Amino acid sequence: MATYNGEKYIEKQVDSILQQISIRDELIISDDGSKDDTLEILVSLNDSRIKIFNNKGLHGVVPNFENAIRHAAGDYIFLCDQDDIWISNKIEICMKALCNCNLVIHNSLLMDGVGNVSDIDFFSLRKSTAGYWKNLYKNSFIGCCMAFRREILDYVLPFPEHILWHDMWIGLMVEKKGKTMFIEDKLLYYRRHDNNASATAEKSSFSFLFQIKYRLQMFGYTLIR
């Protein structure tokens, strides 16, 4: 989990995770210099499975997630945002899927800032399917719905400099070198509110020219790697 000023929602999210993981598992927190009570809330939970690391390198969502991943010791890694809620069988279903692939991405239901859950699902919004070229054109890889085997880190890390979306990078690399699986199970309440660090199906704020250049850049990075 990458955190930054997440005090408003983080306790519910962490609780939804801890209910599913065993004593042998860990919840890695990489904090990007929160100025609110995020860290105090995490410490107050007094759970030995929670391991907190400060992101001392470059700041931002992508470096913060890279810091979290580098501290993870497990054979299976689930990426996690600070403000969503995991559905109770998320880990069980993802682990079954990972028997047959290197990376799994599941569907999710949208939820607003006060906890109202919509019947709109992420896959329908993004027309999500597997495939390198499809996801280079319109990305379906969203980190909070992804889990993967540790061995993909051999070719995913380090993240290239200047990329905007770590999850798109991870997904594209596994499309080229491993096996991805998209499953329709809705295993997450995906919270959308004014302070989200990522977009869903909202119209991009980037210019058309920038979007073309960025996709060419991502193609170049994956080709080199």
Side-chain angles (χ1 to χ4, degrees):
M1 179 188 293
T3 61
Y4 179 72
N5 290 348
E7 64 178 10
K8 187 173 183 179
Y9 303 113
I10 195 166
E11 188 168 357
K12 286 185 178 180
Q13 167 66 312
V14 168
D15 182 61
S16 74
I17 297 168
L18 294 179
Q19 289 183 30
Q20 299 186 51
I21 66 176
S22 76
I23 194 65
R24 300 184 305 275
D25 297 321
E26 59 185 5
L27 172 55
I28 298 293
I29 307 288
S30 176
D31 187 74
D32 209 21
S34 291
K35 298 174 178 62
D36 64 1
D37 289 335
T38 296
L39 294 179
E40 288 78 1
I41 292 170
L42 291 169
V43 170
S44 72
L45 296 175
N46 192 30
D47 193 304
S48 62
R49 294 170 294 177
I50 301 174
K51 300 177 181 179
I52 302 172
F53 300 90
N54 294 319
N55 179 30
K56 298 178 180 178
L58 294 174
H59 295 289
V61 174
V62 174
N64 202 21
F65 266 109
E66 181 165 354
N67 186 54
I69 291 170
R70 287 190 180 278
H71 283 96
D75 293 328
Y76 301 92
I77 298 172
F78 289 68
L79 299 187
C80 179
D81 291 344
Q82 65 186 5
D83 49 6
D84 303 323
I85 297 177
W86 285 18
I87 293 174
S88 60
N89 57 349
K90 173 181 163 84
I91 291 179
E92 177 186 0
I93 292 177
C94 287
M95 289 297 291
K96 288 179 180 178
L98 285 168
C99 292
N100 300 302
C101 65
N102 303 102
L103 179 151
V104 62
I105 178 165
H106 62 74
N107 205 350
S108 60
L109 291 171
L110 271 61
M111 177 173 64
D112 67 18
V114 295
N116 297 312
V117 178
S118 168
D119 59 358
I120 300 172
D121 67 279
F122 182 79
F123 279 13
S124 295
L125 281 177
R126 300 293 294 183
K127 297 180 172 57
S128 300
T129 57
Y132 176 86
W133 295 108
K134 186 273 174 192
N135 285 286
L136 184 64
Y137 171 69
K138 187 172 184 179
N139 181 47
S140 297
F141 290 103
I142 175 174
C144 61
C145 295
M146 289 168 51
F148 48 81
R149 292 174 170 268
R150 182 177 190 83
E151 53 259 33
I152 77 165
L153 301 183
D154 291 343
Y155 53 83
V156 165
L157 294 180
F159 293 155
E161 293 184 11
H162 311 305
I163 65 170
L164 299 176
W165 299 291
H166 59 286
D167 39 14
M168 180 181 183
W169 165 255
I170 293 170
L172 290 176
M173 285 301 298
V174 180
E175 288 284 2
K176 296 298 289 183
K177 298 178 73 70
K179 180 181 179 182
T180 67
M181 181 183 295
F182 283 67
I183 59 174
E184 286 289 341
D185 301 76
K186 302 175 182 69
L187 305 177
L188 180 83
Y189 295 132
Y190 181 37
R191 196 184 299 272
R192 308 307 300 155
H193 52 86
D194 292 342
N195 296 321
N196 281 110
S198 62
T200 50
E202 297 96 336
K203 184 177 180 180
S204 174
S205 60
F206 298 112
S207 70
F208 178 73
L209 180 60
F210 177 87
Q211 294 180 55
I212 295 297
K213 287 182 175 179
Y214 187 75
R215 283 161 176 77
L216 290 173
Q217 181 187 51
M218 291 292 278
F219 171 70
Y221 282 144
T222 56
L223 188 65
I224 293 168
R225 188 65 63 87

